[in-house]
Amino acid sequence: MEGHQGAKVLATKGWSKGKQICNLVGSSREITNDFEQELILKKLDTACIIRSSKSKSVLVGIGPISFINHSCTANCEFVTLPNKLIGLVSIKTIMPGDELTISYGRDYFGRSNKNC
């Protein structure tokens, strides 16, 4: 909910740009667009659904990595790891105590993220 504090993930140490964030890995499971629509119709939370721009697949993220929030000035991005795992790589310098964030995509909030 906008304007309210929710779950977030904070860095416990600093990370330089381009480094894989250790100890924060989640698993993933590929789902179909039809299954995603079923979840939406049932009013279930679909915030953990990840659309890969490279493979065009739709994945659901499982584990603590699913608590990574959106930022218009994100400091991380998802990377695919072996064995259906998802990790994070820093795209900016991250200091201890910084929230780890990703961009949910340019159209996540509609109209090219007009709120950014």
Side-chain angles (χ1 to χ4, degrees):
M1 295 178 355
E2 293 297 320
H4 293 83
Q5 284 286 346
K8 60 184 171 181
V9 178
L10 302 177
T12 57
K13 67 179 245 179
W15 298 95
S16 58
K17 181 179 177 180
K19 295 295 183 179
Q20 183 172 337
I21 311 285
C22 304
N23 302 324
L24 188 63
V25 174
S27 60
S28 67
R29 176 177 174 254
E30 192 163 344
I31 63 171
T32 65
N33 286 322
D34 290 340
F35 184 64
E36 178 184 5
Q37 291 307 310
E38 284 180 42
L39 295 175
I40 291 168
L41 288 173
K42 291 178 182 177
K43 299 192 185 314
L44 296 174
D45 185 6
T46 56
C48 300
I49 293 178
I50 305 162
R51 286 174 184 76
S52 171
S53 58
K54 293 178 184 171
S55 70
K56 305 297 183 200
S57 61
V58 180
L59 305 171
V60 62
I62 303 163
I65 204 161
S66 65
F67 291 103
I68 303 296
N69 290 318
H70 166 80
S71 174
C72 297
T73 57
N75 57 17
C76 297
E77 65 184 8
F78 284 129
V79 291
T80 304
L81 303 172
N83 300 320
K84 297 187 179 186
L85 295 177
I86 303 168
L88 282 179
V89 169
S90 59
I91 57 174
K92 296 179 179 178
T93 298
I94 298 170
M95 303 301 292
D98 286 352
E99 180 177 5
L100 302 180
T101 58
I102 60 164
S103 171
Y104 287 175
R106 60 173 262 229
D107 293 322
Y108 184 80
F109 294 106
R111 298 185 191 165
S112 297
N113 279 340
K114 65 179 177 137
N115 295 326
C116 280

